[in-house]
Amino acid sequence: KQLTDTFTSVSNSFLSISSIAIEDMNGNYILAILTDNAIQAIEFLEDRVPPTFTYFDLDLDGTGSIELVFSETMNSTSLDITNISLENFDNTSAVVLQNSTKSSENTHIIIISLSPSDLNHIKFQTTLATHIFDSFLFIHESNFVDMNNNILSFPNSSVMVRNFIMDSTPPILRSFDLDLSNNSLVLTFSEVINVSSLHIPLLTLISTQSLISTSQEIALTGGYLSGPSLTT
């Protein structure tokens, strides 16, 4: 079904058969039909069965991805990412994908590469996508179709993840801004951070990139914590 210009009608559907493929009741092998003189189909019935959703895998480690598996080859271009949401078991927490990207190949497996913002919004939720039992996916009403334009038949309720890989990658401090007018220090990380876990006395300001004899060090002693965005 991945082929868009083959096996779409009688005119492009032919069959060859080897002389040892089958035999009659007396053990006589069939007369071969060679590939340079294949027999044409008498009738061709195109696919009219709606595709179904099989399962999905969720990987929140590293850059993050969602693997969607269907019953047959799907038309990747017809999938609207914003029709996909991750939900917990009672739908009290959910994240609708916004700007993640999908694989372009037409196949029965579609890979969604999570954008940093979508991934961080998922990780920000404390009751969503923390283990298998609070990781569900729903594809809202859409025009996501197979290669014969049959619309996907998705269950009426969200589907629980099959394989779940939790985040095990240490976060990285990307940068910091020091504002002595407002007495503030803004830290920017590679991913969403649990603000309450920060121990301020473990932060030290240093006058040089590498500690040398002339370096000046100031160990922070306290302050107020806030998180204006998911990663700062």
Side-chain angles (χ1 to χ4, degrees):
K1 293 181 180 180
Q2 287 179 282
L3 304 174
T4 58
D5 57 357
T6 306
F7 310 120
T8 58
S9 66
V10 169
S11 63
N12 57 21
S13 299
F14 295 80
L15 177 72
S16 66
I17 188 168
S18 168
S19 62
I20 59 174
I22 194 171
E23 56 187 58
D24 65 17
M25 300 302 292
N26 290 309
N28 300 306
Y29 285 114
I30 193 168
L31 185 65
I33 299 177
L34 304 179
T35 55
D36 59 357
N37 191 30
I39 186 173
Q40 187 174 21
I42 296 176
E43 183 178 9
F44 180 90
L45 300 177
E46 64 181 17
D47 177 22
R48 285 290 174 240
V49 178
T52 58
F53 183 77
T54 305
Y55 64 83
F56 82 100
D57 294 336
L58 176 61
D59 183 355
L60 295 181
D61 198 23
T63 57
S65 66
I66 302 174
E67 181 177 283
L68 308 175
V69 180
F70 302 90
S71 59
E72 61 178 286
T73 299
M74 302 297 291
N75 184 340
S76 177
T77 58
S78 67
L79 174 61
D80 184 351
I81 291 293
T82 61
N83 282 321
I84 298 176
S85 63
L86 286 176
E87 306 170 353
N88 63 355
F89 74 98
D90 59 358
N91 200 22
T92 56
S93 181
V95 171
V96 178
L97 300 186
Q98 297 297 322
N99 50 11
S100 295
T101 58
K102 61 190 175 182
S103 55
S104 59
E105 182 181 3
N106 295 325
T107 178
H108 72 291
I109 298 176
I110 304 294
I111 304 295
I112 297 175
S113 299
L114 294 172
S115 67
S117 60
D118 282 345
L119 181 60
N120 279 316
H121 275 92
I122 294 169
K123 291 181 178 181
F124 184 72
Q125 312 301 316
T126 58
T127 60
L128 168 67
T130 61
H131 50 70
I132 288 179
F133 300 107
D134 66 2
S135 301
F136 293 76
L137 181 138
F138 190 76
I139 300 180
H140 301 265
E141 185 175 352
S142 67
N143 292 320
F144 189 28
V145 296
D146 65 13
M147 301 304 291
N148 286 91
N149 291 320
N150 299 308
I151 296 177
L152 173 69
S153 176
F154 195 87
N156 293 326
S157 58
S158 55
V159 176
M160 188 170 73
V161 68
R162 188 193 66 160
N163 292 317
F164 175 82
I165 300 177
M166 68 187 307
D167 177 22
S168 61
T169 301
I172 299 171
L173 176 62
R174 297 289 192 194
S175 63
F176 75 95
D177 296 324
L178 180 60
D179 186 343
L180 296 182
S181 296
N182 294 321
N183 298 325
S184 66
L185 176 65
V186 178
L187 308 176
T188 301
F189 299 91
S190 58
E191 61 178 291
V192 62
I193 294 294
N194 182 350
V195 175
S196 63
S197 70
L198 177 62
H199 300 285
I200 294 179
L202 297 180
L203 301 179
T204 302
L205 290 173
I206 309 172
S207 62
T208 55
Q209 186 173 30
S210 299
L211 190 61
I212 57 178
S213 59
T214 57
S215 298
Q216 297 294 318
E217 297 180 74
I218 300 177
L220 303 188
T221 58
Y224 298 99
L225 294 175
S226 63
S229 67
L230 293 179
T231 56
T232 58

